[in-house]
Each structure stands twice: as C-alpha cells, then as structure tokens.
Amino acid sequence: MGKYKSHILVCAGTGCRASDCEGIVSNLESALEENNLNEDVQVVRTGCFGFCEKGPVVKMVPDNTFYVEVTPDDAGELVLEHLVKGRKVERLLYIDPDTKERISDSKHMGFYKKQYRIALRNCGFIDPENIDEYIARDGYAAMGKILESMTPEEATAIIKESGLRGRGGGGFPTGLKWEFTRKAQADKKYVVCNADEGDPGAFMDRSILEGDPHSVLEAMAICGFCIGADTGLIYIRAEYPLAINRLKTAINQAREYGLIGKDILGTGFNFDVEIRLGAGAFVCGEETALIHSMEGLRGEPTVKPPFPAEKGYNGKPTNVNNVETFANVPPIILKGSKWFSEIGTEKSKGTKVFALAGKVNNVGLIEVPMGISLREVIFDIGGGIKGGKKFKAVQTGGPSGGCLTEKHLDIPIDYENLLQCGSMMGSGGMIVMDEDDCMVSMAKFYLDFTVEESCGKCAPCRIGNKRLYEMLDKISLGKSTEEDLGMLRNLANVIKDTSLCGLGQTSPNPVLSTMDNFQEEYLAHVVDGKCPAGQCKALMHYIIDSHLCVGCTLCNRVCPVDAISGEKKTPHVIDSSICIKCGACLEKCKFGAISVQ
Amino acid sequence: MASVKLPESKIQELKEVCQKYDNKGSELINVLHGAQELFGYLPAEVQEIIADELNVSVAHVYGVVTFYSFFSMLPKGRNPISICMGTACYVRGAEKVLDEFKRILNVKVGETTGDGKFSLSCLRCVGACGLAPVVTIGERVYGRVSADDVKKILSEYA
Ligand SMILES: Cc1cc2nc3c(=O)[nH]c(=O)nc-3n(C[C@H](O)[C@H](O)[C@H](O)COP(=O)(O)O)c2cc1C
Ligand code: SF4
C-alpha cells in the first residue's frame, strides 16, 4: 500500500455499491483534501467485507476501526473526528445486540468470531484492482514455487493430499480430477473456471471475483501447469458486470507483469486466460452444458461419461472447477496439504463460504470451517432470527437442496451429513426461514424456478417438474386430497431417478425434504384447508372483529378493490368474494380489529 | 428474408461486432451480447444478419437467442424495472412488491407500458441479498423496498 501512513478501506462490493459507497469514497476524498491529509491517507475500494447487513462498511487501517451503515454525509465527520482529532465516531460503531456495547474492532463481533478465512482471505483487505496489493500478500508466490521447484505430479499430489473437494456442489476431490485430466492424452487441454453461480440467493463466487480476482487467476495457472494446459477460460454470468470488469483488469495487469501469458517467470510455461460470458441460464452451471455454451451452442447438458476430463471444450480434455475451489489452491500450495487437512471434518476438509440470507439478523458472506453446526452459523454468526421470530427452517443447496429444521441444527456441516439429511452442500446458498414462511410455498418457489430453468432436453425434467409444480399449486389452493400427496412423492422420485442431468436429478429435493420434515404442514393444507404460516392466499380469510372495529374507515380507503364496506363509526365488513387478500387493511388498522383466518 | 429496416450505419456496426470475433460461429454468444448492447434487443432482422455473417443458419441463431433469458426479442421500456426474485428477496417479500408494480403499471412480467416508459421483468439474484428485497430500474438499485414504496419510486421517473 506504498507511501501512505494510513488507509480508509471502503467496501465496494455489489451490495454496498447499491447503498452508494461511491458517494462515500468521493466525499472522503474531498474531506481528506480539505484537511490536507490526501498525501498521508489513501481511500481504497475493496471487495466485500461480508457483513452486508450493516453495509456500507468503512474500515480504518492501521487501527482497524470498523464503521457500519455509513452514508456519504458521514464522510466529513469521519475524517475530522477519527483522523484529525483521533476520536472514534461512536454513533457509527457496531452495537453488540446482547451487551449493547459499541464494538470497534471486527474481531470481537459475533459475526466474525467463528469465521475462518481461506478463500476470502483477501476480500475486504486489498484493492482488487491493484495487483501489487495481491502480490504483497503472497500473491503469485504459490505459482512461483511450483514453476520453479516442482513437477506437475508433485504439485497435483499436494492438492490431492490436502483433501480439497469441489465447492461448486458435487464435492468431487479436486486433486483426483486434476490427475484424470493430466493423464488424458491430447495435443491441447483447457482449464475452465465455473463462475456461473446460478443458485438464486447465493453470491459467494461473485464476491471472490470482485474482491480477489488474482487468486483465481493464479490457481488456474497452477492447474494449467499440473494438467498440461496453456489456456484458461472463465465462464461468468453476464449479470455480474462488476466482477467481469475486475477480472478484465486483473487479467491485463497479470499479463503486464508477465504472470500469465508466454514463458511465465522465464520457465517456458505458457498460460493465458480468457473470459466467456453466460447469458442467463441456470443449467449452464452444469459442466457439460457450460462447455456447450462456451462453444456458442444452446446450453444443453449431455450424458456423462465422457467426462470433461476426457472430452470437454472443443472435444479436448477440460478441467472444470468452481471459483471457490480455485481460491483455496494458492494457500494450500504455500502452507502445505497438512495444514489444510487439519481443518474441517474427516471427509470434508477446509472451510466453506456461505451466503447467509433470508430472515437472519446478519445477512452476509461468511466463511466457516467444515464441521461447524448450523446452529452456530445461524445464531452465533447470523445473530439469530430477525424481529425475534421463531426459527423454522434453513434451506441449503438452492434449488437442488432441501429444507432442514430445528432437529438438524446441531449436526456438523459437511458434504456427507447434509446429503444424509436430504439436503446438500450445493454451492453455498443458505436461506433462513421463520414461522411466517410456508413450506409448501417454498417448495413451489423452487419448483417454479426449476420449471423455468429446465432446458427441456429430457422428458422427466421438462414435463415431470411442470406436473410437480401444478400439484403443489393445487395444494396451496386447498384443492388436494391425501392421495395426491402420495402421487406427489411418487412423481418426485421418478424425476430424481430418470432425469439426464443434475438439474432434474435434484430438482425434487425441495419437495421431498419439506414433505419429510413438515408433514403436518402439508396435511394442514390438504385435510384442514389451512395454511399455518398464513402465506397461501387462497386459504386465508380476512375478517374484521366487530367488537374491536371503531369504524374509522381507514381500511375502507386503503382497500384497492373496494371489498370493505360500512358506515362511519360503525363496524365494517369485508366481502370475501371481492377481497384479493393483499393485506393492505391489516397493515393499516390501528385497532387490531382485522385478522387472518 | 424480411426487408431491411435498420439504418445502414447500424448494420455496419453490427458487422464490425461479428468481425471482432473473426466471424466465428463458436463466438455466437459473444456476438449476441455485443448486438444486444448495440440495439437494446435482438429483433429477427439482427439475427438474420448475424447468421449471414457467421455462416450459420438463422434457426441456429434463433435457437440460441431463445434459450438464454438474457437475450430479448422485444424492446425494453425506457426505464427497465427488474424485481429480484432470488430466494433471499422472495423470503423478504419480493412478491408483494412485484404485485404492486404490476397493479400500478397495469402490465404483466415481460411487458412494456403502452407509453414505452417502463418495462417490467424479474431477475434471479443481483447478489445484493443484504438489501433484500431489491429492485433495479436501469442502473439504479433500490434496496429494502416495500410495496408501500413503489408509488414513490415510480414518481421519480415522472
Ligand atoms: C444444474 C446444475 C447447476 C450447477 N451450477 C453450478 C454453478 O453455478 N457453479 C459451479 O461452480 N458449479 C455448478 N454446478 C456443478 C458443476 O457441474 C461442476 O460439478 C463444478 O463446476 C465442478 O467444479 P468443482 O469440482 O470445483 O465443484 C452445477 C451443476 C448442476 C447439475
Ligand atoms: S434434467 Fe432437465 S435440465 Fe437436465 S437435461 Fe434433462 S431437461 Fe435438461
């Protein structure tokens, strides 16, 4: 970070940008100028700090004061108080929800205490658009070490022994995959980085690419050396413009420094990286579909084998890995396989990044050691459920995963355990739900997603999921019978067993897991015609308690469809044949006279 | 083939996009991205020119365009509204927000208002889950939107 005495780090991830972090940066810069500090203090835009709930985040270095929920208007005060007068701006410090004390160092916050950062090691610490800052934190040292002193076999062995498994969902051992691709005979091979990240509600890979793009480039080059490839391709969603730009900048800088390109570090090893844009199709995250998409075709999966390791991009052996998988590689090379394999559980080594979202207090990006419990993640790191509501379920694995409940909270998180409970690790989306969330609606939400994203190549997925969705819809309308529930389960299992690719094979998981874990809730819909969470509109009735209603006419005025009638100062009534169940009246009533049944 | 309605200069620009990718069929998706940036959408005519330039069939181009949700064959409104329907936003009430947009603008998802001012679409996760529910209008991102805010947001574009 050069000549400056201190730095102000401003989170410039997508989340904080939406809250005008650019305004903060420019106001900080002009405040520094006004106080003649612009020679001594530098404002740095970093990648995501993770604590998105409290964004935008501003951190003062070297004293590590962590300011939360900063607005552009606060910039002047931060410079004047913190830097000129040396006093902390108390009102912008994080307040511990339990002790109500103000905490200035993130180390002591519940959100950070149990985290362990390997993949996210640089996110929020460096300027992702400046290669020197990456290099200053051991960047490209792992590549240098390998190129200068190791054979591809030796380097692959380190990854193999570390126990690193794919973070894109499947959990396949990374070192083994590299070995397969290395052993495949061909004149040309490819390294592909899967940055499609289609799971709605997940933003791990995006944050890594935005916050630390060089770590992925370095790892791809290492992989290229190990498997004998000279070309790397990054397949990234077009919906991530910031990540794409930072990657482009990183690639150009690395080329300029001779860290990718021809004859890297004078060792004769050639490796260059190109970017390929996705175009909004979830199925393109599946590796065979991804490869077809890169070839300019419709992104439809094909049957494996042949695996990409034998026949991939342009028919050549191709090693596909996820962004987070790659981000783990350089530290493993530098610190050794033993260091890495001591973190985590017996079969799942290292850490996992999760995008914690939904009804938790601390929404954000977290990295935790494998083996931590869901309870620690949701309650210690996530700070518990929003608004003091009751925890109901947590969804992991996105549209391929399942909903876990109270009884699963204490199992150690790893690939095998999650599978055993009917969910899966997936890429790392973790959505927390409270008592107001209806599990039938949740299953329907994911099915709706699957139906839209199914590529349509095979019948079980194309037709089956549509029927599955319709059956769920029927349940949420209160028109199903118990017999239908049996058919629902049957069809779900058929789709699982007969679909061509991973999308169809896992798409019934949200249905099956909610049926298993929330059977009473399904029965309530089907047998009693009730939605316990009060989310299925067709099963709800808004009524006005005539004893509580004072006839203020407020509800009458807000009702968008004029379903409410009554004279002033006399109790009103709702005509349920007109009511569209929007809930506007309930929100407005000051007397608690309106309820849902 | 339909009669050419695009201005000659735009066609030239489109051909330059194709050339930038060496007129290679395997670069179709990159070319389509470039073309959509140029025109805002991908009408049949644009697809025909691309097919010609890359020496692939129009059916192939059409097949790819319709496969990917990022590509659109309909022009967008001057202020394209997107409601994030990612799980995090859904759980925090995005559906109510969407319903309110639909009600006020009187359009369905994927449609453009009669005056061409707004178009409404859903998207899957912009990755600002900390701000859920999220709505984007053009380049602007609105966080923690509730159904009550919709009117006020739209009035900014009066
Ligand atoms: C429907 C579907 C979607 C997928 N989406 C992604 C994705 O968005 N990102 C990803 O890295 N892997 C995704 N995968 C997994 C990839 O097929 C592949 O296993 C992975 O990229 C391999 O890398 P890894 O071993 O490092 O995990 C998806 C798989 C399926 C079946
Ligand atoms: S399972 Fe679904 S997404 Fe996969 S190939 Fe079949 S139709 Fe396509």
Side-chain angles (χ1 to χ4, degrees), chain A residues 283 286 299-302 450 453-463 465 495 498-505 507:
Chain A
V283 70
E286 198 281 336
E300 287 169 352
T302 39
T450 311
E453 297 296 338
S454 163
C455 81
K457 184 167 172 169
C458 69
C461 169
R462 183 183 67 240
I463 306 171
N465 280 317
I495 297 172
T498 54
S499 290
L500 188 156
C501 85
L503 191 148
Q505 287 157 12
S507 63

Side-chain angles (χ1 to χ4, degrees), chain B residues 97-141:
Chain B
V97 175
L98 174 64
D99 285 345
E100 188 68 5
F101 273 108
K102 285 202 267 194
R103 195 180 67 78
I104 296 182
L105 297 175
N106 196 21
V107 291
K108 290 202 213 72
V109 174
E111 289 181 351
T112 303
T113 53
D115 57 3
K117 199 158 146 193
F118 295 107
S119 53
L120 189 62
S121 64
C122 290
L123 50 77
R124 307 273 187 201
C125 204
V126 281
C129 307
L131 298 172
V134 174
V135 171
T136 65
I137 301 185
E139 300 276 293
R140 266 206 71 177
V141 181

Side-chain angles (χ1 to χ4, degrees), chain A residues 10 37 41 50 80 119 158 197 277 300 319 345 360 368 412 421 433 448 478 503 558 575:
Chain A
V10 180
L37 285 170
V41 184
L80 199 63
I158 297 181
E197 195 161 57
L277 295 189
E300 287 169 352
N319 182 87
T345 64
V360 278
V368 288
C421 308
M433 287 168 253
D448 181 38
L503 191 148
V558 297
D575 183 343

